[in-house]
Each structure stands twice: as structure tokens, then as C-alpha cells.
């Protein structure tokens, strides 16, 4: 059974940092790209960024709203992806989901999601 | 960036009725790389449709997707009580990947 479990969320002050983890099981993690998507309370889904596989040199991409502040990475030996968030702002407050793109190639969508972890940026 | 605009924002219907949800893209989505997700409060998104019209595993056949280019539709035939939820479209043809703002299907 495919499972993704996020952790690391919590309350952080503006300007602070937080690192989220996404632990995967039930599939060949190294074959999949991993995406981070967030959702502010009462709002729609917002794609944050992704990390591709070793075959694609662990390439990353980010939404303009987080570029330069957030970093997505992965450790295939631990079946885990990470989202390092720096210089956090109030508008980064959201539930953060990780999602699996089954195969790292054109035309593959996010098919499984974790249950999310809440990040609150407030003083 | 590809902007996805969903309409309506809210759809008020009764069980047994048909729901028609629209998703319009600001530019052509090649290869129909468009997905639909269902989301209930406090839960993650659930994949319904990918490739604009392909039902994901385990999704009832009352859910169907159609469209191409810039205009896409999710149809839910004979609404069941568990179908009252939020629905989002999503394009995965071009980075940055983007989502529509969502349509809420509520009980009338």
C-alpha cells in the first residue's frame, strides 16, 4: 500500500525556518518524483515545488512565491523527501502535503498524497 | 504560467442530480495533461481523473471527465451523499504545475 507521511509542521515566528519531512513506503521511492503542495485555510491548492529522481539529477523546481526561500530535497536511502523553508512569512501558513508522481517523466500526475502537516507562521 | 479558472465556485444540488463542473485554462493544455481531484474537509486530495478523461483506480463510473485544449469538464452523474465535497482541476503539462481555485458541490 502506497503511504506518504508528512511531519515537522508547527508554529514558527516570521523570518524563521522549518524543515518538513515526507516518509514514503509501499512503492519504489527512487522511481518517483515528489511534489509539495500547500493549502491555506479555506483556500485552494497551491503547488510549491518538486524534486525529481536521480535519473534526472535530482532537479528541482519551485513556485515563484517560494523560490529562493524554500528548498526541496530527497534521500532515497531513507525513502524520504524534505521541504526546507526559510525566511517564513505569515502567508506561508498552510497545510503542506507531499504527493507522489509515480514515474518521473512527462505525463505523470500526482496520484497519492499524504495527510498533510500544518505550518503556522505567527508571532 | 497556466492559470486554471473553475466555474462555478459553488454548485448547490440535490442527491440524484447531475453536477457539471468547468475548468478553463489560460493556454492550451497539450496531451490533455489535466487531472481532477476531490477533497473533503480535513482530508487530502483524492485523484479522480487524469489525462482529462481517464478514471483513476477505484473511482465509480458516475464520475467522468471530458474536454481538450483549454476547456475541460468534470461530470458527476446521479450525485451520491458522499460526492458533496470540493473539486479541483490541475494541469501537469508545464512547470509551474497549477491548480484551479476549486468548486464546492454542496447539498441544496
Amino acid at each position: 500500500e502506497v503511504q506518504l507521511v508528512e511531519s515537522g509542521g508547527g508554529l514558527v515566528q516570521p523570518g524563521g525556518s522549518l524543515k518538513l519531512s515526507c516518509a514514503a513506503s509501499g512503492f519504489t521511492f527512487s522511481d518517483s518524483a515528489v511534489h509539495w503542495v500547500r493549502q491555506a485555510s479555506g483556500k485552494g491548492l497551491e503547488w510549491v515545488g518538486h524534486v525529481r529522481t536521480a535519473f534526472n539529477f535530482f532537479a528541482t523546481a519551485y513556485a515563484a512565491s517560494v523560490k529562493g526561500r524554500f528548498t526541496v530535497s530527497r534521500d532515497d536511502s531513507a525513502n524520504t523527501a524534505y521541504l526546507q523553508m526559510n525566511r517564513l512569512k505569515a502567508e506561508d501558513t498552510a497545510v503542506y502535503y507531499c504527493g507522489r508522481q509515480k514515474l518521473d517523466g512527462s505525463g505523470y500526475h500526482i496520484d497519492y498524497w499524504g495527510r498533510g502537516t500544518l505550518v503556522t507562521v505567527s508571532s | 504560467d497556466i492559470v486554471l479558472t473553475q466555474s462555478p465556485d459553488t454548485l448547490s444540488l440535490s442527491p440524484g442530480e447531475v453536477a457539471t463542473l468547468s475548468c478553463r485554462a489560460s493556454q492550451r493544455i497539450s496531451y490533455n495533461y489535466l487531472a481532477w481531484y476531490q477533497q473533503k474537509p480535513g482530508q487530502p486530495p483524492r485523484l479522480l481523473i487524469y489525462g482529462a478523461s481517464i478514471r483513476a483506480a477505484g473511482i465509480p463510473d458516475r464520475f467522468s471527465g471530458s474536454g481538450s485544449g483549454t476547456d475541460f469538464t468534470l461530470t458527476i452523474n446521479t450525485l451520491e451523499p458522499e460526492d458533496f465535497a470540493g473539486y479541483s482541476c490541475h494541469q501537469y503539462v508545464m512547470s509551474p504545475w497549477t491548480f484551479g481555485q476549486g468548486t464546492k458541490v454542496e447539498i441544496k
Side-chain angles (χ1 to χ4, degrees):
Chain A
E1 178 192 5
V2 172
Q3 284 199 322
L4 299 167
V5 179
E6 302 91 340
S7 60
L11 175 64
V12 60
Q13 292 189 338
S17 298
L18 209 56
K19 187 173 185 176
L20 306 183
S21 299
C22 170
S25 60
F27 64 99
T28 305
F29 181 72
S30 58
D31 285 346
S32 299
V34 177
H35 296 254
W36 289 91
V37 176
R38 67 185 180 183
Q39 187 171 38
S41 181
K43 302 295 185 182
L45 298 165
E46 180 188 14
W47 182 80
V48 172
H50 73 199
V51 57
R52 300 187 70 178
T53 62
F55 183 82
N56 285 300
F57 309 104
F58 302 115
T60 57
Y62 301 93
S65 57
V66 307
K67 195 169 185 178
R69 299 188 299 124
F70 289 13
T71 302
V72 182
S73 61
R74 63 190 295 157
D75 180 351
D76 288 351
S77 67
N79 287 350
T80 302
Y82 304 96
L83 177 64
Q84 175 69 48
M85 304 184 292
N86 298 328
R87 304 202 308 272
L88 282 159
K89 307 174 183 179
E91 51 265 40
D92 296 319
T93 295
V95 174
Y96 284 73
Y97 298 100
C98 64
R100 177 190 87 155
Q101 180 187 349
K102 181 179 178 181
L103 292 177
D104 181 14
S106 176
Y108 288 92
H109 49 280
I110 299 172
D111 59 354
Y112 283 92
W113 301 71
R115 296 200 65 83
T117 187
L118 176 63
V119 173
T120 303
V121 184
S122 175
S123 54
Chain B
D1 298 6
I2 297 178
V3 176
L4 299 177
T5 302
Q6 293 185 238
S7 60
D9 287 335
T10 304
L11 200 50
S12 298
L13 295 168
S14 301
E17 292 193 298
V18 176
T20 303
L21 288 67
S22 174
C23 176
R24 176 162 289 177
S26 61
Q27 56 186 282
R28 181 175 172 270
I29 295 179
S30 304
Y31 311 108
N32 285 346
Y33 287 167
L34 184 113
W36 289 93
Y37 296 92
Q38 178 193 68
Q39 193 176 20
K40 298 180 181 179
Q43 295 186 20
R46 173 195 182 198
L47 177 66
L48 298 176
I49 301 285
Y50 62 94
S53 62
I54 304 169
R55 266 190 305 276
I59 301 303
D61 60 9
R62 64 180 181 273
F63 291 90
S64 64
S66 62
S68 63
T70 60
D71 290 295
F72 299 87
T73 300
L74 174 70
T75 302
I76 313 171
N77 284 303
T78 316
L79 278 165
E80 297 286 344
E82 62 268 28
D83 299 336
F84 291 91
Y87 294 85
S88 298
C89 59
H90 163 59
Q91 66 81 17
Y92 49 99
V93 68
M94 179 187 301
S95 183
W97 289 16
T98 51
F99 293 85
Q101 84 279 11
T103 290
K104 179 181 179 182
V105 178
E106 65 176 23
I107 299 177
K108 187 174 183 180

